[in-house]
Amino acid sequence: MKKLVLICTVAFMFIANGAVAKNTLRLLTWKGYAPAKLVKDFEAETGIDVKITYSNNEEMIAKLRATRGGGFDLAQPSQDRISFVQAKFPVYQPIDFSRVNTGQLTASMVEAVKKNSAYDGKAYAVPFCYGTTGMIVNQKMAPDAKDWSDLWNPKYAGKISYRLKRPLLIATAFGLGENPFALYNDINAYRALMKRVEKTLIDGKKLVKNYWTSGDTQVAIIKSGDAWVISGWDGKGWSLHATNPDIDFIAPKSGALGWIDTFAIPAKSKNLDAAYKWINFMLSPKNAAYFTNKEGYGTASADAIKYLNEDIKANFSRSFPPEVLDNIKWHPPVPEGFETIEAKVLDRIKAAK
């Protein structure tokens, strides 16, 4: 009799655990990426409870490595932090795009994420949101500044500022008419390109007012009038535009640099149905617009712009019409050894007179 009771108890536990897994979405994400209103709406619409664990790229990798892809049904790593992780530690499973409503997404962004998250011929992520680095320009003082090359244009001598970090090297290469990402399979060619980038930036040092180092210093240098042309983040440029219409964020002609955060499914996800339902729910135009209105990040949902607040819609419409959005250079995964090359280039630029 005791044996029968034990068998029944164990069976009940398995059934109960299965029911819990079926009715719960365990989401590993960034703060702000799962707004309370949308969680409540999703739970009411589907009957699925959403259990959220906040994290960042490094922690996501560590958590999923520790469980070999278990513990969560859906994660949100950046697109350039997936393929190399998958190659070393198979913690994700390929995306079944037949279950993703790609018709509601920006096609160029879907293709970029498919390419940049690919491993062994399969794609591992769906785009969710994005942000960019471009230029913030005082358009009254520098109306012709349109591309990265204006960061070393003698016309703006003493009125230029930028952040001396890795994205500047990439931006400078694009400003020189090169595509650094196309050389990620040829380290010697990349090293030669970085030499040209280094020379350009060292030659241009005499034109630079200063190097900004934070969001606050980025804003201060152009707000004060000490600089007219700077590298900068889209949100900072738009906030400046709200108080001074002469200043605005622009996507450089050769392409702004962009990051994309994604949806990726852990290898041992227990609730695939919930994971795909959440992806499609969050990327529906109205829900994606709610997220963008609240957090300020761009969304991969193509028609979300119709539902944005007027001021936010104006920012995206002004800076990212469709042809400009399609020209954003999305950061791919950085091959091993390339960041060492770039670090040495940055050190030599800093040390140069």
Side-chain angles (χ1 to χ4, degrees), residues 138-158:
N138 185 323
Q139 296 176 311
K140 181 178 179 181
M141 306 306 293
D144 298 326
K146 304 291 184 188
D147 200 11
W148 293 116
S149 56
D150 288 304
L151 292 176
W152 57 91
N153 187 340
K155 187 174 176 181
Y156 307 118

Side-chain angles (χ1 to χ4, degrees), residues 34-303:
K37 175 190 180 303
L38 296 185
V39 170
K40 186 177 178 182
D41 290 350
F42 178 81
E43 290 177 337
E45 182 177 308
T46 65
I48 298 169
D49 294 330
V50 180
K51 181 180 177 184
I52 301 171
T53 300
Y54 294 116
S55 189
N56 56 45
N57 274 317
E58 288 68 31
E59 287 181 0
M60 283 185 209
I61 294 170
K63 287 178 186 294
L64 293 173
R65 274 188 65 187
T67 58
R68 299 183 180 181
F72 300 95
D73 301 303
L74 190 61
Q76 295 209 252
S78 300
Q79 61 145 8
D80 59 345
R81 305 296 185 93
I82 299 172
S83 59
F84 75 89
V85 173
Q86 186 64 18
K88 289 185 177 179
F89 324 105
V91 297
Y92 296 113
Q93 57 183 285
I95 295 294
D96 179 356
F97 278 92
S98 70
R99 303 184 70 173
V100 178
N101 185 3
T102 54
Q104 65 183 355
L105 306 182
T106 299
S108 62
M109 218 173 291
V110 173
E111 291 309 308
V113 168
K114 279 184 175 180
K115 179 181 176 183
N116 291 330
S117 70
Y119 173 68
D120 200 21
K122 298 172 183 174
Y124 284 81
V126 179
F128 172 57
C129 67
Y130 71 92
T132 67
T133 299
M135 293 164 58
I136 302 175
V137 176
N138 185 323
Q139 296 176 311
K140 181 178 179 181
M141 306 306 293
D144 298 326
K146 304 291 184 188
D147 200 11
W148 293 116
S149 56
D150 288 304
L151 292 176
W152 57 91
N153 187 340
K155 187 174 176 181
Y156 307 118
K159 295 294 183 181
I160 295 167
S161 179
Y162 43 71
R163 188 177 183 224
L164 194 54
K165 293 288 187 180
R166 180 174 185 272
L168 177 72
L169 305 182
I170 304 299
T172 301
F174 279 111
L176 291 172
E178 304 281 357
N179 182 350
F181 299 153
L183 302 181
Y184 271 14
N185 60 353
D186 187 340
I187 193 167
N188 290 326
Y190 192 78
R191 187 180 286 111
L193 173 59
M194 285 297 109
K195 274 289 184 186
R196 296 197 292 278
V197 166
E198 178 182 328
K199 183 177 186 312
T200 299
L201 292 174
I202 288 177
D203 290 347
K205 284 191 78 169
K206 59 183 178 293
L207 308 173
V208 178
K209 177 70 176 179
N210 67 9
Y211 301 137
W212 60 262
T213 56
S214 66
D216 288 342
T217 55
Q218 172 191 172
V219 168
I221 185 65
I222 194 161
K223 187 176 181 180
S224 66
D226 287 339
W228 299 339
V229 180
I230 72 171
S231 67
W233 302 321
D234 46 24
K236 293 295 183 185
W238 293 333
S239 66
L240 283 161
H241 185 76
T243 55
N244 182 351
D246 291 338
I247 300 173
D248 204 1
F249 172 86
I250 67 166
K253 187 178 177 182
S254 55
L257 306 180
W259 55 264
I260 301 177
D261 286 343
T262 72
F263 291 112
I265 300 180
K268 296 180 182 176
S269 169
K270 291 183 178 177
N271 200 338
L272 286 175
D273 284 344
Y276 283 108
K277 283 179 180 176
W278 178 259
I279 292 171
N280 290 323
F281 174 86
M282 288 298 291
L283 288 170
S284 68
K286 286 186 178 178
N287 292 337
Y290 180 88
F291 164 77
T292 295
N293 284 332
K294 192 169 188 302
E295 299 297 330
Y297 299 122
T299 170
S301 182
D303 289 333

